[in-house]
Amino acid sequence: MLHLPLYNWMEEHANKGASSMRVENTEMAFSMIVSGAGIGVISNFYGDVSPELVRIFPEPVVYTTGWIVYHETARGSAKVRTVVEMLAAYLEERKHSLSGRQG
């Protein structure tokens, strides 16, 4: 996942002389930040619901896109269409909190 914009942003803003740590996944990053190991960039749905963390930047530093994907042979399936519609409605209802924007 090193090709994602988040990692480019972190490399551009990192203090090259400071010690740093890289972890393999969001859960590990969250655990390290919460334990006091330092600062980091994590998804807002982890950070914004964690009272022990403080947001530094008021706006998200990077964005990503999600896709609802299913095999083309399931395109006509009423069951798949129902799940896709429910998931799309769920995400639409929560788009503000998922956007990472405050306020």
Side-chain angles (χ1 to χ4, degrees), residues 45-62:
F45 49 84
Y46 278 96
D48 288 348
V49 298
S50 306
E52 62 269 35
L53 298 180
V54 175
R55 184 190 277 237
I56 296 173
F57 299 107
E59 292 294 318
V61 296
V62 294

Side-chain angles (χ1 to χ4, degrees), residues 9-22:
W9 185 92
M10 288 192 295
E11 289 298 322
E12 290 172 12
H13 293 85
N15 181 346
K16 303 298 183 208
S19 61
S20 64
M21 182 178 348
R22 293 179 189 259

Side-chain angles (χ1 to χ4, degrees), residues 29-93:
F30 175 76
S31 295
M32 298 298 295
I33 296 166
V34 167
S35 72
I39 65 171
V41 179
I42 58 173
S43 299
N44 68 293
F45 49 84
Y46 278 96
D48 288 348
V49 298
S50 306
E52 62 269 35
L53 298 180
V54 175
R55 184 190 277 237
I56 296 173
F57 299 107
E59 292 294 318
V61 296
V62 294
Y63 294 93
T64 190
T65 301
W67 295 86
I68 300 172
V69 180
Y70 51 90
H71 196 272
E72 67 184 38
T73 59
R75 185 174 297 148
S77 167
K79 291 177 183 178
V80 171
R81 187 173 46 255
T82 298
V83 171
V84 167
E85 289 171 1
M86 290 174 63
L87 182 54
Y90 176 87
L91 295 171
E92 180 66 26
E93 290 170 11

